[in-house]
PDB file of all heavy atoms in Angstrom:
ATOM      1  N   GLN O   1      36.818  99.917-249.330  1.00 98.00           N
ATOM      2  CA  GLN O   1      35.753 100.072-248.328  1.00 98.00           C
ATOM      3  C   GLN O   1      34.524 100.647-249.044  1.00 98.00           C
ATOM      4  O   GLN O   1      34.571 101.716-249.599  1.00 98.00           O
ATOM      5  CB  GLN O   1      36.196 101.012-247.207  1.00 98.00           C
ATOM      6  CG  GLN O   1      35.136 101.234-246.137  1.00 98.00           C
ATOM      7  CD  GLN O   1      35.288 102.600-245.441  1.00 98.00           C
ATOM      8  OE1 GLN O   1      35.498 103.608-246.094  1.00 98.00           O
ATOM      9  NE2 GLN O   1      35.219 102.595-244.132  1.00 98.00           N
ATOM     10  N   VAL O   2      33.438  99.868-249.021  1.00 98.00           N
ATOM     11  CA  VAL O   2      32.178 100.289-249.631  1.00 98.00           C
ATOM     12  C   VAL O   2      31.182 100.617-248.519  1.00 98.00           C
ATOM     13  O   VAL O   2      30.889  99.792-247.653  1.00 98.00           O
ATOM     14  CB  VAL O   2      31.606  99.184-250.546  1.00 98.00           C
ATOM     15  CG1 VAL O   2      30.212  99.565-251.009  1.00 98.00           C
ATOM     16  CG2 VAL O   2      32.523  99.006-251.760  1.00 98.00           C
ATOM     17  N   GLU O   3      30.700 101.853-248.552  1.00 98.00           N
ATOM     18  CA  GLU O   3      29.713 102.294-247.567  1.00 98.00           C
ATOM     19  C   GLU O   3      28.300 102.034-248.107  1.00 98.00           C
ATOM     20  O   GLU O   3      27.914 102.621-249.113  1.00 98.00           O
ATOM     21  CB  GLU O   3      29.895 103.780-247.250  1.00 98.00           C
ATOM     22  CG  GLU O   3      31.183 104.091-246.518  1.00 98.00           C
ATOM     23  CD  GLU O   3      31.325 105.517-246.110  1.00 98.00           C
ATOM     24  OE1 GLU O   3      30.824 106.387-246.855  1.00 98.00           O
ATOM     25  OE2 GLU O   3      31.919 105.787-245.045  1.00 98.00           O
ATOM     26  N   ILE O   4      27.598 101.144-247.467  1.00 98.00           N
ATOM     27  CA  ILE O   4      26.244 100.802-247.904  1.00 98.00           C
ATOM     28  C   ILE O   4      25.266 101.873-247.436  1.00 98.00           C
ATOM     29  O   ILE O   4      25.170 102.164-246.241  1.00 98.00           O
ATOM     30  CB  ILE O   4      25.841  99.418-247.347  1.00 98.00           C
ATOM     31  CG1 ILE O   4      26.774  98.328-247.908  1.00 98.00           C
ATOM     32  CG2 ILE O   4      24.376  99.105-247.671  1.00 98.00           C
ATOM     33  CD1 ILE O   4      26.479  96.944-247.348  1.00 98.00           C
ATOM     34  N   CYS O   5      24.561 102.469-248.404  1.00 96.00           N
ATOM     35  CA  CYS O   5      23.536 103.496-248.139  1.00 96.00           C
ATOM     36  C   CYS O   5      24.084 104.524-247.136  1.00 96.00           C
ATOM     37  O   CYS O   5      23.582 104.652-246.017  1.00 96.00           O
ATOM     38  CB  CYS O   5      22.250 102.873-247.617  1.00 96.00           C
ATOM     39  SG  CYS O   5      21.505 101.687-248.728  1.00 96.00           S
ATOM     40  N   PRO O   6      25.122 105.275-247.529  1.00 96.00           N
ATOM     41  CA  PRO O   6      25.810 106.168-246.590  1.00 96.00           C
ATOM     42  C   PRO O   6      24.946 107.270-245.983  1.00 96.00           C
ATOM     43  O   PRO O   6      25.265 107.759-244.902  1.00 96.00           O
ATOM     44  CB  PRO O   6      26.957 106.762-247.413  1.00 96.00           C
ATOM     45  CG  PRO O   6      26.544 106.560-248.826  1.00 96.00           C
ATOM     46  CD  PRO O   6      25.745 105.308-248.853  1.00 96.00           C
ATOM     47  N   SER O   7      23.833 107.619-246.625  1.00 94.00           N
ATOM     48  CA  SER O   7      22.998 108.687-246.117  1.00 94.00           C
ATOM     49  C   SER O   7      21.872 108.160-245.233  1.00 94.00           C
ATOM     50  O   SER O   7      21.078 108.938-244.710  1.00 94.00           O
ATOM     51  CB  SER O   7      22.403 109.494-247.258  1.00 94.00           C
ATOM     52  OG  SER O   7      21.603 108.689-248.089  1.00 94.00           O
ATOM     53  N   LEU O   8      21.783 106.845-245.078  1.00 93.00           N
ATOM     54  CA  LEU O   8      20.684 106.243-244.285  1.00 93.00           C
ATOM     55  C   LEU O   8      21.197 105.600-243.021  1.00 93.00           C
ATOM     56  O   LEU O   8      22.297 105.049-242.982  1.00 93.00           O
ATOM     57  CB  LEU O   8      19.965 105.199-245.140  1.00 93.00           C
ATOM     58  CG  LEU O   8      19.348 105.681-246.455  1.00 93.00           C
ATOM     59  CD1 LEU O   8      18.709 104.512-247.191  1.00 93.00           C
ATOM     60  CD2 LEU O   8      18.316 106.771-246.195  1.00 93.00           C
ATOM     61  N   GLU O   9      20.388 105.673-241.962  1.00 89.00           N
ATOM     62  CA  GLU O   9      20.774 105.067-240.691  1.00 89.00           C
ATOM     63  C   GLU O   9      20.563 103.559-240.643  1.00 89.00           C
ATOM     64  O   GLU O   9      21.191 102.878-239.850  1.00 89.00           O
ATOM     65  CB  GLU O   9      19.983 105.735-239.546  1.00 89.00           C
ATOM     66  CG  GLU O   9      20.323 107.199-239.319  1.00 89.00           C
ATOM     67  CD  GLU O   9      19.577 107.785-238.145  1.00 89.00           C
ATOM     68  OE1 GLU O   9      18.802 107.045-237.500  1.00 89.00           O
ATOM     69  OE2 GLU O   9      19.784 108.979-237.851  1.00 89.00           O
ATOM     70  N   ASP O  10      19.690 103.068-241.485  1.00 89.00           N
ATOM     71  CA  ASP O  10      19.401 101.627-241.492  1.00 89.00           C
ATOM     72  C   ASP O  10      19.255 101.115-242.929  1.00 89.00           C
ATOM     73  O   ASP O  10      18.228 100.555-243.295  1.00 89.00           O
ATOM     74  CB  ASP O  10      18.164 101.331-240.648  1.00 89.00           C
ATOM     75  CG  ASP O  10      18.062  99.850-240.305  1.00 89.00           C
ATOM     76  OD1 ASP O  10      19.009  99.120-240.624  1.00 89.00           O
ATOM     77  OD2 ASP O  10      17.068  99.434-239.724  1.00 89.00           O
ATOM     78  N   GLY O  11      20.305 101.353-243.718  1.00 91.00           N
ATOM     79  CA  GLY O  11      20.232 100.962-245.119  1.00 91.00           C
ATOM     80  C   GLY O  11      20.116  99.496-245.356  1.00 91.00           C
ATOM     81  O   GLY O  11      19.551  99.051-246.378  1.00 91.00           O
ATOM     82  N   TRP O  12      20.618  98.677-244.412  1.00 94.00           N
ATOM     83  CA  TRP O  12      20.542  97.224-244.606  1.00 94.00           C
ATOM     84  C   TRP O  12      19.107  96.760-244.795  1.00 94.00           C
ATOM     85  O   TRP O  12      18.822  95.894-245.598  1.00 94.00           O
ATOM     86  CB  TRP O  12      21.198  96.488-243.415  1.00 94.00           C
ATOM     87  CG  TRP O  12      20.982  95.026-243.495  1.00 94.00           C
ATOM     88  CD1 TRP O  12      20.180  94.229-242.697  1.00 94.00           C
ATOM     89  CD2 TRP O  12      21.529  94.119-244.467  1.00 94.00           C
ATOM     90  NE1 TRP O  12      20.235  92.921-243.077  1.00 94.00           N
ATOM     91  CE2 TRP O  12      21.051  92.828-244.174  1.00 94.00           C
ATOM     92  CE3 TRP O  12      22.417  94.278-245.542  1.00 94.00           C
ATOM     93  CZ2 TRP O  12      21.414  91.702-244.926  1.00 94.00           C
ATOM     94  CZ3 TRP O  12      22.778  93.163-246.288  1.00 94.00           C
ATOM     95  CH2 TRP O  12      22.291  91.917-246.013  1.00 94.00           C
ATOM     96  N   ARG O  13      18.179  97.303-244.014  1.00 92.00           N
ATOM     97  CA  ARG O  13      16.783  96.865-244.095  1.00 92.00           C
ATOM     98  C   ARG O  13      16.138  97.241-245.409  1.00 92.00           C
ATOM     99  O   ARG O  13      15.092  96.716-245.774  1.00 92.00           O
ATOM    100  CB  ARG O  13      15.987  97.413-242.901  1.00 92.00           C
ATOM    101  CG  ARG O  13      16.561  96.965-241.585  1.00 92.00           C
ATOM    102  CD  ARG O  13      15.655  97.250-240.386  1.00 92.00           C
ATOM    103  NE  ARG O  13      16.304  96.818-239.170  1.00 92.00           N
ATOM    104  CZ  ARG O  13      16.304  95.560-238.736  1.00 92.00           C
ATOM    105  NH1 ARG O  13      15.667  94.631-239.409  1.00 92.00           N
ATOM    106  NH2 ARG O  13      16.922  95.244-237.603  1.00 92.00           N
ATOM    107  N   ILE O  14      16.772  98.166-246.133  1.00 92.00           N
ATOM    108  CA  ILE O  14      16.263  98.540-247.438  1.00 92.00           C
ATOM    109  C   ILE O  14      16.853  97.638-248.540  1.00 92.00           C
ATOM    110  O   ILE O  14      16.138  97.188-249.428  1.00 92.00           O
ATOM    111  CB  ILE O  14      16.601 100.019-247.730  1.00 92.00           C
ATOM    112  CG1 ILE O  14      15.793 100.942-246.801  1.00 92.00           C
ATOM    113  CG2 ILE O  14      16.272 100.381-249.196  1.00 92.00           C
ATOM    114  CD1 ILE O  14      16.141 102.389-246.901  1.00 92.00           C
ATOM    115  N   ILE O  15      18.145  97.353-248.456  1.00 94.00           N
ATOM    116  CA  ILE O  15      18.790  96.618-249.549  1.00 94.00           C
ATOM    117  C   ILE O  15      18.819  95.102-249.353  1.00 94.00           C
ATOM    118  O   ILE O  15      19.200  94.368-250.228  1.00 94.00           O
ATOM    119  CB  ILE O  15      20.232  97.140-249.795  1.00 94.00           C
ATOM    120  CG1 ILE O  15      21.111  96.860-248.574  1.00 94.00           C
ATOM    121  CG2 ILE O  15      20.258  98.601-250.130  1.00 94.00           C
ATOM    122  CD1 ILE O  15      22.415  96.225-248.927  1.00 94.00           C
ATOM    123  N   ARG O  16      18.406  94.638-248.144  1.00 93.00           N
ATOM    124  CA  ARG O  16      18.518  93.197-247.902  1.00 93.00           C
ATOM    125  C   ARG O  16      17.546  92.383-248.741  1.00 93.00           C
ATOM    126  O   ARG O  16      17.764  91.207-249.073  1.00 93.00           O
ATOM    127  CB  ARG O  16      18.273  92.901-246.440  1.00 93.00           C
ATOM    128  CG  ARG O  16      16.872  93.220-245.936  1.00 93.00           C
ATOM    129  CD  ARG O  16      16.713  92.954-244.470  1.00 93.00           C
ATOM    130  NE  ARG O  16      15.378  93.276-244.009  1.00 93.00           N
ATOM    131  CZ  ARG O  16      14.951  93.161-242.745  1.00 93.00           C
ATOM    132  NH1 ARG O  16      15.815  92.707-241.837  1.00 93.00           N
ATOM    133  NH2 ARG O  16      13.733  93.481-242.410  1.00 93.00           N
ATOM    134  N   ASP O  17      16.408  93.007-249.115  1.00 90.00           N
ATOM    135  CA  ASP O  17      15.409  92.298-249.914  1.00 90.00           C
ATOM    136  C   ASP O  17      15.717  92.469-251.398  1.00 90.00           C
ATOM    137  O   ASP O  17      16.129  93.514-251.842  1.00 90.00           O
ATOM    138  CB  ASP O  17      13.989  92.825-249.610  1.00 90.00           C
ATOM    139  CG  ASP O  17      13.606  92.605-248.143  1.00 90.00           C
ATOM    140  OD1 ASP O  17      13.976  91.507-247.612  1.00 90.00           O
ATOM    141  OD2 ASP O  17      12.984  93.492-247.561  1.00 90.00           O
ATOM    142  N   ALA O  18      15.435  91.415-252.145  1.00 89.00           N
ATOM    143  CA  ALA O  18      15.700  91.427-253.596  1.00 89.00           C
ATOM    144  C   ALA O  18      14.898  92.518-254.290  1.00 89.00           C
ATOM    145  O   ALA O  18      13.724  92.749-253.985  1.00 89.00           O
ATOM    146  CB  ALA O  18      15.387  90.071-254.186  1.00 89.00           C
ATOM    147  N   SER O  19      15.577  93.205-255.241  1.00 86.00           N
ATOM    148  CA  SER O  19      14.926  94.248-256.011  1.00 86.00           C
ATOM    149  C   SER O  19      15.373  94.157-257.457  1.00 86.00           C
ATOM    150  O   SER O  19      16.574  94.041-257.726  1.00 86.00           O
ATOM    151  CB  SER O  19      15.270  95.642-255.432  1.00 86.00           C
ATOM    152  OG  SER O  19      14.816  96.677-256.280  1.00 86.00           O
ATOM    153  N   GLU O  20      14.425  94.205-258.357  1.00 83.00           N
ATOM    154  CA  GLU O  20      14.754  94.109-259.798  1.00 83.00           C
ATOM    155  C   GLU O  20      15.339  95.429-260.319  1.00 83.00           C
ATOM    156  O   GLU O  20      16.147  95.416-261.238  1.00 83.00           O
ATOM    157  CB  GLU O  20      13.510  93.763-260.588  1.00 83.00           C
ATOM    158  CG  GLU O  20      13.007  92.343-260.372  1.00 83.00           C
ATOM    159  CD  GLU O  20      14.014  91.296-260.803  1.00 83.00           C
ATOM    160  OE1 GLU O  20      14.728  91.542-261.793  1.00 83.00           O
ATOM    161  OE2 GLU O  20      14.103  90.238-260.142  1.00 83.00           O
ATOM    162  N   ASN O  21      14.926  96.544-259.724  1.00 82.00           N
ATOM    163  CA  ASN O  21      15.280  97.843-260.280  1.00 82.00           C
ATOM    164  C   ASN O  21      16.288  98.621-259.477  1.00 82.00           C
ATOM    165  O   ASN O  21      16.826  99.632-259.960  1.00 82.00           O
ATOM    166  CB  ASN O  21      14.022  98.700-260.456  1.00 82.00           C
ATOM    167  CG  ASN O  21      13.005  98.028-261.349  1.00 82.00           C
ATOM    168  OD1 ASN O  21      13.357  97.484-262.415  1.00 82.00           O
ATOM    169  ND2 ASN O  21      11.731  98.015-260.948  1.00 82.00           N
ATOM    170  N   GLU O  22      16.587  98.195-258.244  1.00 88.00           N
ATOM    171  CA  GLU O  22      17.492  98.970-257.392  1.00 88.00           C
ATOM    172  C   GLU O  22      18.548  98.024-256.790  1.00 88.00           C
ATOM    173  O   GLU O  22      18.408  96.805-256.826  1.00 88.00           O
ATOM    174  CB  GLU O  22      16.707  99.667-256.291  1.00 88.00           C
ATOM    175  CG  GLU O  22      15.759 100.728-256.823  1.00 88.00           C
ATOM    176  CD  GLU O  22      15.124 101.554-255.698  1.00 88.00           C
ATOM    177  OE1 GLU O  22      14.976 100.992-254.590  1.00 88.00           O
ATOM    178  OE2 GLU O  22      14.783 102.724-255.946  1.00 88.00           O
ATOM    179  N   LEU O  23      19.575  98.618-256.264  1.00 94.00           N
ATOM    180  CA  LEU O  23      20.678  97.861-255.666  1.00 94.00           C
ATOM    181  C   LEU O  23      20.170  97.057-254.484  1.00 94.00           C
ATOM    182  O   LEU O  23      19.399  97.549-253.661  1.00 94.00           O
ATOM    183  CB  LEU O  23      21.756  98.840-255.194  1.00 94.00           C
ATOM    184  CG  LEU O  23      23.080  98.228-254.726  1.00 94.00           C
ATOM    185  CD1 LEU O  23      23.890  97.748-255.909  1.00 94.00           C
ATOM    186  CD2 LEU O  23      23.884  99.268-253.904  1.00 94.00           C
ATOM    187  N   ASP O  24      20.579  95.806-254.394  1.00 96.00           N
ATOM    188  CA  ASP O  24      20.227  94.991-253.248  1.00 96.00           C
ATOM    189  C   ASP O  24      21.411  94.183-252.765  1.00 96.00           C
ATOM    190  O   ASP O  24      22.508  94.252-253.355  1.00 96.00           O
ATOM    191  CB  ASP O  24      19.007  94.077-253.537  1.00 96.00           C
ATOM    192  CG  ASP O  24      19.258  93.127-254.680  1.00 96.00           C
ATOM    193  OD1 ASP O  24      20.417  92.724-254.903  1.00 96.00           O
ATOM    194  OD2 ASP O  24      18.279  92.724-255.360  1.00 96.00           O
ATOM    195  N   ALA O  25      21.214  93.432-251.691  1.00 96.00           N
ATOM    196  CA  ALA O  25      22.336  92.690-251.105  1.00 96.00           C
ATOM    197  C   ALA O  25      22.910  91.658-252.071  1.00 96.00           C
ATOM    198  O   ALA O  25      24.103  91.410-252.042  1.00 96.00           O
ATOM    199  CB  ALA O  25      21.827  92.003-249.822  1.00 96.00           C
ATOM    200  N   ARG O  26      22.088  91.097-252.929  1.00 96.00           N
ATOM    201  CA  ARG O  26      22.594  90.137-253.904  1.00 96.00           C
ATOM    202  C   ARG O  26      23.575  90.771-254.847  1.00 96.00           C
ATOM    203  O   ARG O  26      24.604  90.180-255.215  1.00 96.00           O
ATOM    204  CB  ARG O  26      21.437  89.497-254.701  1.00 96.00           C
ATOM    205  CG  ARG O  26      20.495  88.617-253.902  1.00 96.00           C
ATOM    206  CD  ARG O  26      19.447  88.013-254.815  1.00 96.00           C
ATOM    207  NE  ARG O  26      18.780  89.042-255.623  1.00 96.00           N
ATOM    208  CZ  ARG O  26      17.905  88.788-256.563  1.00 96.00           C
ATOM    209  NH1 ARG O  26      17.599  87.556-256.886  1.00 96.00           N
ATOM    210  NH2 ARG O  26      17.309  89.773-257.212  1.00 96.00           N
ATOM    211  N   ASP O  27      23.287  91.998-255.237  1.00 96.00           N
ATOM    212  CA  ASP O  27      24.209  92.740-256.135  1.00 96.00           C
ATOM    213  C   ASP O  27      25.546  93.004-255.467  1.00 96.00           C
ATOM    214  O   ASP O  27      26.616  92.820-256.037  1.00 96.00           O
ATOM    215  CB  ASP O  27      23.590  94.098-256.555  1.00 96.00           C
ATOM    216  CG  ASP O  27      22.296  93.924-257.324  1.00 96.00           C
ATOM    217  OD1 ASP O  27      22.194  92.983-258.153  1.00 96.00           O
ATOM    218  OD2 ASP O  27      21.359  94.758-257.103  1.00 96.00           O
ATOM    219  N   LEU O  28      25.483  93.425-254.191  1.00 97.00           N
ATOM    220  CA  LEU O  28      26.706  93.711-253.453  1.00 97.00           C
ATOM    221  C   LEU O  28      27.527  92.443-253.207  1.00 97.00           C
ATOM    222  O   LEU O  28      28.750  92.444-253.289  1.00 97.00           O
ATOM    223  CB  LEU O  28      26.359  94.387-252.144  1.00 97.00           C
ATOM    224  CG  LEU O  28      25.791  95.803-252.250  1.00 97.00           C
ATOM    225  CD1 LEU O  28      25.336  96.296-250.865  1.00 97.00           C
ATOM    226  CD2 LEU O  28      26.822  96.766-252.848  1.00 97.00           C
TER     227      LEU O  28
END
């Protein structure tokens, strides 16, 4: 079980967009 952005209430809206330097949905 992987918790996406466990400290954030809406982490999906942060990681859904592609990012070269940070974790994103493509990485997961």
Side-chain angles (χ1 to χ4, degrees):
Q1 179 206 46
V2 171
E3 293 185 326
I4 297 177
C5 301
S7 61
L8 301 178
E9 293 184 359
D10 196 6
W12 173 251
R13 299 191 183 278
I14 293 175
I15 65 132
R16 65 182 179 181
D17 298 322
S19 172
E20 291 297 326
N21 301 316
E22 296 187 332
L23 189 75
D24 60 28
R26 293 183 307 175
D27 298 322
L28 292 173

